[in-house]
Amino acid sequence: MAFHEGFMPLNQSPDTVIPVPDLGRSKLRAAEFFAGIGLVRCGLEQAGIEVVWANDIEPVKKSVYAANFDDSHFLLGDIREVAGETVPTVDLATASFPCVDLSLAGNRRGLRGEQSGLFYEFARILGEMGDRSPSVVMVENVASFVSSRDGRDLRAAVRELNALGYVCDLLMLDARWFTPQSRPRLFIVGARQRYSDGAASNASLLRPDRLVRFCRSNPDLELQELPLATPRCRGSALSDAIERFAPASDFWWNGARYDGFMSSLVPLQRRRLESLRARRRFEWRTAYRRTRAGVAVWEIRGDELAGCLRTARGGSSRQAVVQAGHGRVQVRWMTPREYARLQGVPEDFDFSTVSEAQALFGFGDAVCVPVIAWLAREALTPAATGSISTGAAA
């Protein structure tokens, strides 16, 4: 797959008002900030929510978005140049803002950082929308948002949303409940209506100890615990996401790369691999290259899950696939299609407009589609329509 060199951004200024078709009120309408390649939209649409406006600054990501959706409403440009009055009236606004400054692998500047600080631009736009601001907002980011700068960043974000009139629930959702990928993510669901007396006080699958501790440490924040049932989902098997290649395929590593992989394994990893090799069926595991005591080594996961997909810009962040059994071991890089399956997109999702590296980056920087669909059905839609049942089991 090659990136189309002739692709150019839309010839429009960021404050251009994009006409929105008359969809009637049979569906909730959403505005998608930091839209990326459109996986939030995928999940919202599966839950019956119509995305009528989207914004992102990356032309490459917009190229993938346009290959899969009607992009007439897509505003390509810097969020810092978007004015609130140019955003159409919607019921829901979503923001998967950059995680660079919040991530454990990043610089840990938190919301003071140039990238993660763009959260405040999202809040600014909501404020500029005034009485037209949506009744519900959804903010998504890495799990380490909870601990960033000892919780001060999450506190600042919730305070900002509180000031805009939103009562917030904090949730931790993991892609592994839906797909074979370990990907915990923090979600803030802000609603203009209060549905419970206060924040979560007891740890649960959706609100683990660290979230409860945060709530207890910040009693002045406007927080609530939406009455959500625990997801009853079973993620698919890793083998369902794996592309099959012939033993002689050029995708498999050989020579120095294969030897380097094998020689880097510590005894525990080598025993794990030998156990897999001895089995009478093929099994698949994923592996990351990590630096231990200054030495680059490969580590194979002990379970049948992929590690959290990352924004791959080099070998250290890209996962490998290990196929073992019948006395054989073969290793190769994970493919973009496998990334797509682990993020739960439909099989016909098109990323042919971009290069392999760009596709990997786009999927690694996105959300897991069924997680968004579940959240939209269970929390976003009921909160936006005032139909949350207080009888749901938390």
Side-chain angles (χ1 to χ4, degrees):
M1 296 174 291
F3 176 62
H4 179 41
E5 299 294 342
F7 177 80
M8 294 293 291
L10 291 174
N11 184 22
Q12 58 190 26
S13 63
D15 60 352
T16 300
V17 178
I18 299 178
V20 178
D22 182 11
L23 300 174
R25 302 306 291 158
S26 60
K27 288 187 176 182
L28 294 179
R29 293 154 50 104
E32 185 185 5
F33 293 82
F34 310 99
I37 62 175
L39 300 201
V40 168
R41 176 170 177 169
C42 263
L44 294 179
E45 287 189 344
Q46 289 181 11
I49 298 174
E50 188 79 23
V51 175
V52 298
W53 187 90
N55 168 245
D56 202 279
I57 197 173
E58 295 278 354
V60 169
K61 291 180 180 178
K62 190 266 181 182
S63 175
V64 178
Y65 192 104
N68 293 280
F69 308 103
D70 173 9
D71 66 324
S72 60
H73 65 273
F74 192 109
L75 182 64
L76 183 65
D78 192 330
I79 189 175
R80 289 170 288 200
E81 298 177 14
V82 175
E85 59 265 26
T86 68
V87 179
T89 300
V90 292
D91 306 287
L92 166 70
T94 69
S96 294
F97 66 98
C99 67
V100 175
D101 305 297
L102 298 169
S103 171
L104 294 174
N107 56 38
R108 303 294 278 166
R109 286 182 54 82
L111 294 186
R112 300 176 301 174
E114 181 179 0
Q115 295 299 310
S116 296
L118 292 175
F119 164 81
Y120 290 112
E121 295 298 320
F122 171 65
R124 171 188 60 79
I125 293 167
L126 294 176
E128 290 176 356
M129 293 178 73
D131 292 340
R132 296 189 308 107
S133 61
S135 58
V136 176
V137 295
M138 183 204 82
V139 175
E140 178 268 346
N141 216 288
V142 292
S144 55
F145 192 4
V146 181
S147 58
S148 178
R149 296 199 310 125
D150 295 322
R152 294 194 298 275
D153 285 321
L154 180 56
R155 174 178 170 80
V158 173
R159 284 188 67 183
E160 195 77 11
L161 293 174
N162 287 167
L164 292 167
Y166 295 103
V167 184
C168 297
D169 192 4
L170 308 178
L171 303 165
M172 196 72 70
L173 304 179
D174 198 332
R176 72 195 300 165
W177 304 339
F178 305 89
T179 72
Q181 179 196 178
S182 174
R183 191 182 188 85
R185 285 294 185 267
L186 175 71
F187 289 85
I188 305 174
V189 176
R192 294 216 175 270
Q193 184 172 343
R194 178 173 283 283
Y195 291 96
S196 70
D197 293 335
S201 57
N202 296 303
S204 64
L205 182 68
L206 297 176
R207 302 172 186 88
D209 283 335
R210 52 183 160 168
L211 286 184
V212 173
R213 288 196 300 270
F214 173 86
C215 294
R216 290 174 177 167
S217 300
N218 295 277
D220 58 313
L221 296 179
E222 291 293 324
L223 296 168
Q224 66 177 328
E225 182 179 11
L226 296 176
L228 305 178
T230 301
R232 292 184 176 89
C233 305
R234 293 182 59 188
S236 56
L238 180 61
S239 59
D240 295 332
I242 297 299
E243 288 196 272
R244 305 298 198 264
F245 295 100
S249 170
D250 291 339
F251 279 91
W252 298 113
W253 295 351
N254 53 39
R257 173 168 282 175
Y258 178 83
D259 293 341
F261 175 89
M262 298 297 288
S263 64
S264 78
L265 300 178
V266 300
L268 171 64
Q269 297 289 326
R270 192 175 295 276
R271 289 194 297 271
R272 178 175 293 166
L273 184 59
E274 290 306 316
S275 175
L276 293 169
R277 187 205 300 262
R279 298 185 184 182
R280 296 183 179 180
R281 63 182 185 278
F282 282 126
E283 295 199 18
W284 294 267
R285 298 291 187 273
T286 58
Y288 265 124
R289 187 167 58 194
R290 304 186 186 277
T291 300
R292 303 293 188 189
V295 178
V297 298
W298 280 95
E299 295 182 355
I300 305 168
R301 284 187 67 102
D303 55 22
E304 296 185 55
L305 292 173
C308 182
L309 300 181
R310 300 178 183 175
T311 49
R313 290 193 186 276
S316 61
S317 60
R318 187 174 177 183
Q319 292 186 68
V321 172
V322 178
Q323 176 180 285
H326 301 288
R328 302 181 61 176
V329 171
Q330 291 186 285
V331 187
R332 60 169 173 79
W333 290 120
M334 187 176 285
T335 68
R337 179 54 64 188
E338 289 165 340
Y339 268 54
R341 291 170 178 170
L342 292 168
Q343 291 287 47
V345 303
E347 195 66 16
D348 61 354
F349 191 87
D350 184 3
F351 46 86
S352 62
T353 58
V354 298
S355 70
E356 178 178 298
Q358 290 165 340
L360 294 173
F361 185 87
F363 283 115
D365 200 29
V367 297
C368 183
V369 172
V371 170
I372 300 298
W374 180 87
L375 187 62
R377 286 191 298 266
E378 301 297 323
L380 304 181
T381 294
T385 58
S387 60
I388 286 183
S389 170
T390 58

